Amino acid sequence: MPDPRSAAGPRGARAEAVVDLAAVRHNVEVLTAAAPGAALMAVVKADGYGHGAVPVARAALDAGATWLGVCTLDEALELRGGGIGAPVLSWLHLPDEDFAPAIAAGIDLSVASRAHLAAVADGARRAGRPARVHLKVDTGLSRGGAVPDDWPDLLDDTAKAGAAGDCEVVAVWSHLAHADIPDHPMLDVQAARLTVAWQAAVDRGFAPIRHLANSAATLTRPDLHFDLVRPGIAVYGLDPLERPVSESPLRPAMTLSARVALVKRVAAGEGVSYGHAWTAETDTTLALVPIGYADGVPRRLNFGGRLRVLLGGRLRPVVGRVCMDQVVVDCGPVCGEATGGNPEGEIEVTVGDRAVLFGPGSSGEPTAQDWADELGTIHYEVVTGVHGRRVLRTVVDGPGVDGPGVDGPGVDGVCP
């Protein structure tokens, strides 16, 4: 990971999410090795789970992925705009969206209903080429996908659209409800239902592939790999089985940090931040770090004093409430130039030092899984929640490499 005391970029980003593409490639190699008989689709929806869709997609393809998966048409077209020509599947749409630009760009489209198919066929006619469709069947998640009773009618309409030259069937697919519990009986039920739907498509004269496995099933259920696996969260090094970093073959790719803006001494009895939820028991030193809930640090994370940051070589507690723009770190009685010395030999904390909120955990910093455990949520929410114009995303290629940093919304600093 980048040196937590360094300030990346010529000006030094006040708040920064560093994304390590070497970790992404490592994770894709692990996933590819886990599914040697299947192609691999790296899911880069939600701007690559907050890591940057285009750079992550390129790294994943370099490491052996052959497909990419996204949620929306705009996300798919962003990949094409980034010069990526690999197969891309986009899977969540309203039936009144304009599918013509995506079809013209060679984007594969998921179809889950007759209304969606009709809209896709219309887009194909306007694009002047057949749409590549993945027919989605609901095998038990009860979200997207055609229910079994509607499947024959969807196949009928698809056959007519195919005969008219408006579509070609690439795949029959579905999504798992309990993949994080590898021996859950519902996995076998869903696989059987997918096979029934796929066989019905084959019996109609189609030649589709099958895909079902997400990250967890890619790593634990080789019988569910079929023709294509679709790992998402594991691409970013976050273990779908929530194993500790030390026990997982994956490497987290994102490190979130911010630079200290102010170091100050406060006396015993002084309250800190809104509501004085925390009061100094002794004279202490505080560091002000300019990152808050507007940037992806959940306000509820520090109720009870649970949030720690790696600062000055030590884990230190965030005290008081997480604010919209800032947090306060208790550095103890010996900290920084405000103390007039460092008699105990502790690493000093000074303005400009970098506080690491979460990262791979390799230097003792908290991880996204640690945050998720404290919040009672999943690490998906943690990394996708890092957002806003004020958090610079810096892309590096290997641990310990600092990107140059480029200020501005949605702009990545890229270090070759």
Side-chain angles (χ1 to χ4, degrees):
M1 61 173 285
D3 180 356
R5 290 177 62 87
S6 70
R11 292 173 299 281
R14 59 187 288 160
E16 184 176 28
V18 175
V19 176
D20 180 8
L21 296 184
V24 171
R25 285 195 295 272
H26 165 83
N27 298 328
V28 171
E29 289 167 358
V30 169
L31 293 160
T32 300
L40 186 138
M41 174 188 291
V43 178
V44 294
K45 64 180 181 177
D47 197 19
Y49 290 48
H51 293 66
V54 171
V56 167
R58 290 175 179 155
L61 292 169
D62 287 345
T66 53
W67 290 69
L68 299 169
V70 296
C71 182
T72 71
L73 300 178
D74 286 344
E75 290 174 337
L77 291 172
E78 178 189 1
L79 296 177
R80 289 288 186 259
I84 294 172
V88 177
L89 171 63
S90 177
W91 56 64
L92 183 58
H93 321 110
L94 294 170
D96 60 356
E97 294 187 54
D98 183 3
F99 294 97
I103 295 170
I107 304 299
D108 288 22
L109 300 170
S110 176
V111 168
S113 71
R114 299 173 72 187
H116 283 92
L117 179 65
V120 168
D122 174 72
R125 290 189 290 271
R126 289 184 288 109
R129 61 185 291 181
R132 289 169 49 90
V133 301
H134 295 229
L135 300 176
K136 187 173 187 182
V137 58
D138 181 1
T139 57
L141 186 60
S142 299
R143 295 194 320 188
V147 297
D149 286 349
D150 294 337
W151 192 247
D153 290 339
L154 180 57
L155 292 179
D156 286 343
D157 285 4
T158 303
K160 293 174 185 176
D166 295 333
C167 76
E168 57 181 281
V169 177
V170 176
V172 172
W173 75 294
S174 192
H175 195 51
L176 293 167
H178 293 279
D180 54 340
I181 307 173
D183 59 353
H184 196 288
M186 192 63 195
L187 274 69
D188 294 329
V189 171
Q190 289 193 259
R193 290 174 177 174
L194 175 66
T195 297
V196 169
W198 171 81
Q199 187 61 56
V202 170
D203 292 344
R204 294 294 184 96
F206 301 119
I209 64 172
R210 281 176 289 175
H211 52 96
L212 178 65
N214 60 0
S215 289
T218 299
L219 291 168
T220 64
R221 290 293 300 261
D223 56 317
L224 304 184
H225 290 170
F226 296 115
D227 303 294
L228 174 72
V229 295
R230 305 187 313 268
I233 197 66
V235 170
Y236 307 94
L238 301 177
D239 197 291
L241 305 177
E242 299 184 0
R243 292 172 291 190
V245 172
S246 60
E247 298 176 12
S248 175
L250 306 171
R251 285 168 39 191
M254 181 187 288
T255 299
L256 178 66
S257 65
R259 298 173 66 214
V260 172
L262 181 68
V263 177
K264 63 194 299 182
R265 293 284 287 169
V266 297
E270 291 293 332
V272 174
S273 196
Y274 293 123
H276 286 178
W278 184 86
T279 300
E281 295 182 357
T282 62
D283 294 354
T284 192
T285 305
L286 304 178
L288 184 67
V289 180
I291 189 170
Y293 60 77
D295 310 300
V297 183
R299 184 173 181 268
R300 67 188 185 278
L301 186 59
N302 209 41
F303 284 85
R306 298 173 295 176
L307 180 57
R308 302 285 191 274
V309 301
L310 182 64
L311 174 60
R314 288 183 51 188
L315 280 175
R316 304 178 190 272
V318 171
V319 295
R321 299 286 166 79
V322 173
C323 304
M324 182 183 293
D325 315 301
Q326 55 204 289
V327 297
V328 179
V329 180
D330 180 21
C331 296
V334 178
C335 179
E337 56 196 29
T339 65
N342 189 13
E344 297 182 12
E346 181 178 336
I347 297 175
E348 295 182 351
V349 173
T350 60
V351 170
D353 285 351
R354 193 160 289 278
V356 179
L357 287 89
F358 68 76
S362 54
S363 296
E365 75 278 8
T367 65
Q369 182 62 59
D370 292 334
W371 278 29
D373 291 343
E374 293 289 356
L375 291 164
T377 185
I378 55 177
H379 41 38
Y380 299 68
E381 184 178 2
V382 172
V383 292
T384 58
V386 176
H387 56 78
R389 299 170 61 93
R390 303 184 302 191
V391 179
L392 171 69
R393 185 167 59 220
T394 300
V395 178
V396 301
D397 201 344
V401 181
D402 288 328
V406 180
D407 286 334
V411 179
D412 296 324
V414 181
C415 182

